Amino acid sequence: MKKPATLLLFAFLVSCSGNKNEESNSSDKKYDLESGIITFSTTMKIGERNITQKKILYFEDYGIRECEEEYTVDTASGQEILDSKTFVKDGYYYTCSIADKTGVKTKTSGYGVATSFRMHKDSTAEGKKYAELDTEKICGKSCDAFSMESPSGTITQYGWKRILLKTIFINPATKTYSETVAIKIEENVSIPSDKFEIPDEVVIKDM
């Protein structure tokens, strides 16, 4: 399952990115790319604690089918360990904890598992300080960017083809700094079918 620090950042991302139902109803495509595999690196500092993670996003059918794997990186050995897997298939949302060998299955509200990138300023920016930034190249892709400030902290996002490629989150009050950035992009590739299957030994509970 997602760790508490990751959950805090995820909640802030959702608040800045709007409702997934609204997003899926506005277009048949989540992304402007048919399929892809994107590898991300995350560094997070909370007080004196440092966390390093790796995440791989798999998607096809322009993001309607999507899987996200999170790996914990052992800072001493550098070994990557699969920690969790989340995917959407046939209208259901699966969240799997590999370490605990447990998971839950729920009906989806919208589609996909990752937050998409939306550049335009809309109702989600109300009450927040919003600023458009200069473009930045990430993995050779020219990304649009913006920053948004709220009582929860400041978030900066960079996106390409509606795919969120870089996120920086800063909250001075909790001494939290997090940066997630794409380090490898594979475009229009075949996605292994097992990415949309429940891992062996994981027991799923219907919710």
Side-chain angles (χ1 to χ4, degrees), residues 79-131:
Q79 183 180 6
E80 298 172 351
I81 302 169
L82 179 60
D83 184 64
S84 66
K85 175 179 178 178
T86 307
F87 66 95
V88 168
K89 179 182 178 182
D90 300 330
Y92 287 93
Y93 186 100
Y94 297 82
T95 303
C96 307
S97 171
I98 309 304
D100 297 336
K101 299 181 181 179
T102 60
V104 294
K105 172 185 174 183
T106 58
K107 192 70 177 175
T108 58
S109 57
Y111 55 73
V113 296
T115 302
S116 63
F117 177 82
R118 297 196 299 173
M119 183 65 187
H120 61 279
K121 183 178 180 181
D122 59 15
S123 60
T124 64
E126 291 179 2
K128 304 179 179 76
K129 295 180 181 178
Y130 175 95

Side-chain angles (χ1 to χ4, degrees), residues 39-52:
T39 303
F40 295 87
S41 175
T42 296
T43 55
M44 188 180 301
K45 184 173 182 179
I46 305 171
E48 299 302 317
R49 185 183 179 195
N50 293 305
I51 301 171
T52 302

Side-chain angles (χ1 to χ4, degrees), residues 79-196:
Q79 183 180 6
E80 298 172 351
I81 302 169
L82 179 60
D83 184 64
S84 66
K85 175 179 178 178
T86 307
F87 66 95
V88 168
K89 179 182 178 182
D90 300 330
Y92 287 93
Y93 186 100
Y94 297 82
T95 303
C96 307
S97 171
I98 309 304
D100 297 336
K101 299 181 181 179
T102 60
V104 294
K105 172 185 174 183
T106 58
K107 192 70 177 175
T108 58
S109 57
Y111 55 73
V113 296
T115 302
S116 63
F117 177 82
R118 297 196 299 173
M119 183 65 187
H120 61 279
K121 183 178 180 181
D122 59 15
S123 60
T124 64
E126 291 179 2
K128 304 179 179 76
K129 295 180 181 178
Y130 175 95
E132 294 187 3
L133 307 176
D134 292 337
T135 59
E136 179 177 315
K137 282 202 171 184
I138 300 172
C139 294
K141 310 301 182 185
S142 181
C143 297
D144 293 322
F146 70 87
S147 66
M148 195 178 293
E149 193 175 326
S150 78
S152 300
T154 300
I155 191 167
T156 306
Q157 295 187 333
Y158 302 79
W160 165 78
K161 291 186 179 291
R162 292 197 280 181
I163 304 169
L164 186 58
L165 294 185
K166 182 179 179 180
T167 302
I168 299 173
F169 174 68
I170 303 171
N171 186 336
T174 59
K175 298 181 180 180
T176 300
Y177 176 88
S178 174
E179 180 175 317
T180 299
V181 60
I183 56 175
K184 183 180 179 181
I185 299 174
E186 300 172 69
E187 302 177 54
N188 296 318
V189 292
S190 297
I191 308 301
S193 60
D194 64 354
K195 298 304 175 185
F196 303 103

